């Protein structure tokens, strides 16, 4: 396979996926963003400033931790956890929020908008805006505002405005549509910090760039400590940013199998799941072409997952492409399996994982028997579970 093809023959596309399906009024902003982003990649000062924030503010590099008791539980491959849960604000999302906030400064834009579902990207964005002195407005569905009160309060404490979105299902899909609308009306002085590796070009590339630190660190750490590349990379998939962040550095290492785990909800044979790549079909949502959950008329279906961060009917275009060319494989993990994963990690390693990341752990019971004792797995532990305590408390009986 010619892997340079992964970087699109047609600009802004990954095979048939990606593109810029946006109102005409946004095209100048996307072109400007693309130019500033390309310059940023070569800009020494920008790179140094970003590196400093990654190290001294976010707390990078995150450890690549050998989970010995978890590995012993299965008696097969060695499981290494990439500890994104140890980042400031508790997940990988801050890598992208800080990077894009810095980019907004370069664009000379003082106002930031962002969408959020569970509030994790909202909190990361509000954090980056407080740090870099930018005005922050977060669009959030009214239903999510009700369900995620602690995160709403966090954003407000950080100085952000939280705008309640009251149409449709009042969740992430509507919040994203509303952010795009707000951007169209204020594009002159506003940068939209999209939270996952999706949306119109150049967003999937921007988000991948800022998240790819996960994979570059992990690759180097693994080679240094174990003198070999891992055999498998496992990551959960909502929109796909933590997964593309860890996959990217390994894409050209053909021996490394890339595996993405999406939300199987109450089962992919029910209507309550968010298994976009395994159960969806190609279509257009929020400015990009990708796999989607839609009906025969192209109407977007409501997604479901126990974890709010996986509850999205779309997915990034690059994952859609990696699936089609067979470079990565995608499987679904149910709510129940994710909860089992959560409990297993808590009891073997003393780590409370985010419910999103727990999908990757929940997949291990199916997957580990296929592995051998010489194999190495790196699992991206995308975030910590404190935010999920209200939901988790309904599923634990002590
Ligand atoms: C938001 C979130 C996800 C899902 O988003 P991706 O863009 O697919 O990474 C996964 N894990 C955590 C902890 C999150 O907050």
């Amino acid at each position: 396979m010619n892997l340079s093809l992964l970087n699109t023959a047609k600009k802004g596309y990954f095979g048939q996926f990606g593109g810029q399906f946006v109102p005409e009024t946004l095209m100048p902003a996307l072109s400007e963003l693309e130019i500033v982003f390309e310059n940023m990649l070569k800009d020494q000062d920008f790179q140094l400033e970003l590196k400093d924030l990654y190290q001294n503010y976010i707390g990078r590099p995150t450890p690549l931790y050998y989970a010995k008791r978890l590995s012993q539980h299965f008696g097969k491959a060695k499981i290494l956890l990439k500890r994104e849960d140890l980042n400031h604000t508790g997940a990988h999302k801050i890598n992208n929020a800080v990077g894009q906030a810095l980019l907004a400064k370069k664009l000379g834009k003082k106002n930031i908008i962002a969408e959020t579902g569970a509030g994790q990207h909202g909190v990361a964005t509000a954090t980056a805006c407080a740090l870099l002195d930018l005005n922050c407005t977060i669009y959030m569905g009214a239903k999510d505002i009700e369900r995620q009160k602690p995160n709403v309060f966090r954003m407000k404490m950080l100085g952000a405005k939280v705008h309640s979105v009251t149409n449709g299902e009042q969740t992430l899909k509507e919040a994203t549509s509303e952010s795009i609308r707000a951007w169209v009306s204020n594009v002159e002085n506003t940068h939209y910090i999209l939270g996952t590796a999706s949306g119109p070009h150049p967003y999937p590339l921007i988000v991948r760039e800022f998240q790819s630190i996960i994979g570059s660190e992990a690759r180097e750490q693994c080679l240094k400590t174990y003198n070999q590349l891992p055999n498998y990379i496992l990551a959960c998939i909502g929109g796909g940013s933590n997964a593309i962040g860890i996959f990217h550095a390994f894409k050209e290492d053909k021996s490394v199998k890339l595996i993405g785990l999406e939300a199987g909800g109450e089962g992919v044979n029910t209507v309550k799941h968010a298994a976009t790549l395994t159960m969806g079909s190609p279509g257009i949502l929020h400015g990009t072409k990708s796999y989607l959950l839609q009906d025969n008329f192209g109407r977007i279906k409501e997604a479901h997952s126990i974890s709010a961060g996986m509850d999205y009917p779309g997915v990034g275009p690059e994952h859609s492409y990696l699936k089609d060319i067979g470079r990565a494989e995608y499987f679904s993990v149910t709510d129940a399996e994710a909860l089992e994963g959560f409990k297993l990690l808590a009891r073997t390693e003393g780590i409370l994982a985010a419910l999103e990341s727990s999908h990757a752990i929940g997949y291990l019971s199916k997957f580990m028997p296929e592995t051998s004792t010489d194999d190495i797995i790196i699992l991206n532990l995308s975030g910590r579970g404190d935010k999920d305590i209200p939901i988790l408390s309904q599923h634990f009986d002590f």
Side-chain angles (χ1 to χ4, degrees), residues 84-85 89-93 116-121 172 195-198 207 211 214 235-245 261 307-311 315-316 319 353-358 380-385 387-388:
E84 291 300 299
D85 60 314
T89 68
H92 69 292
K93 289 215 170 66
T116 199
Q120 294 303 107
H121 176 54
L172 178 60
T196 191
S198 193
V207 177
Q211 294 293 1
I214 306 172
C236 67
I237 307 256
S241 71
N242 86 87
I244 211 70
L261 290 321
S307 81
M310 313 264 282
D311 199 347
V315 69
H319 286 295
L355 271 173
E356 291 85 356
S357 330
S358 298
N380 196 14
L381 199 70
S382 54
R384 67 173 184 233
K387 68 181 177 63
D388 296 315

Side-chain angles (χ1 to χ4, degrees), residues 86-192:
L86 296 177
N87 286 328
H88 178 46
T89 68
H92 69 292
K93 289 215 170 66
I94 192 77
N95 301 325
N96 170 53
V98 161
Q100 283 202 49
L102 214 50
L103 203 55
K105 289 222 131 179
K106 294 279 168 202
L107 283 157
K109 297 191 172 177
K110 273 294 274 180
N111 298 328
I112 298 295
I113 55 175
E115 84 295 343
T116 199
Q120 294 303 107
H121 176 54
V123 169
T125 303
T127 301
C129 288
L131 176 71
L132 295 170
D133 190 23
L134 297 161
N135 306 318
C136 181
T137 307
I138 303 295
Y139 289 84
M140 188 168 186
K143 202 190 268 175
D144 288 334
I145 289 183
E146 198 46 45
R147 287 193 289 199
Q148 309 288 340
K149 280 195 182 127
N151 272 344
V152 175
F153 190 59
R154 275 186 195 107
M155 288 180 248
K156 290 182 175 168
M157 287 190 291
L158 291 160
K161 283 199 209 82
V162 180
H163 184 105
S164 171
V165 178
T166 53
N167 43 326
E169 305 294 335
Q170 312 187 351
T171 62
L172 178 60
K173 177 162 72 71
E174 290 77 22
T176 307
S177 305
E178 194 61 32
S179 304
I180 296 173
R181 269 195 289 275
W183 197 31
V184 171
S185 336
N186 302 289
V187 69
E188 298 287 298
N189 55 13
T190 304
H191 175 60
Y192 175 22

Side-chain angles (χ1 to χ4, degrees), residues 42 65 69 118 143 153 186 190 252 285 315 338 366:
K42 295 171 267 170
Y65 164 70
R69 290 200 61 227
K143 202 190 268 175
F153 190 59
N186 302 289
T190 304
E252 312 225 359
L285 176 66
V315 69
K366 255 187 215 149

Side-chain angles (χ1 to χ4, degrees), residues 229-275:
L229 285 170
N231 305 81
Y232 303 95
I233 306 283
L234 265 55
C236 67
I237 307 256
S241 71
N242 86 87
I244 211 70
I246 194 160
F247 287 180
H248 189 59
F250 296 97
K251 273 195 300 208
E252 312 225 359
D253 301 317
K254 291 179 194 162
S255 64
V256 182
K257 292 203 170 70
L258 308 176
I259 300 174
L261 290 321
E262 50 182 14
E266 294 180 8
V268 292
N269 301 320
T270 72
V271 294
K272 300 193 85 179
H273 65 79

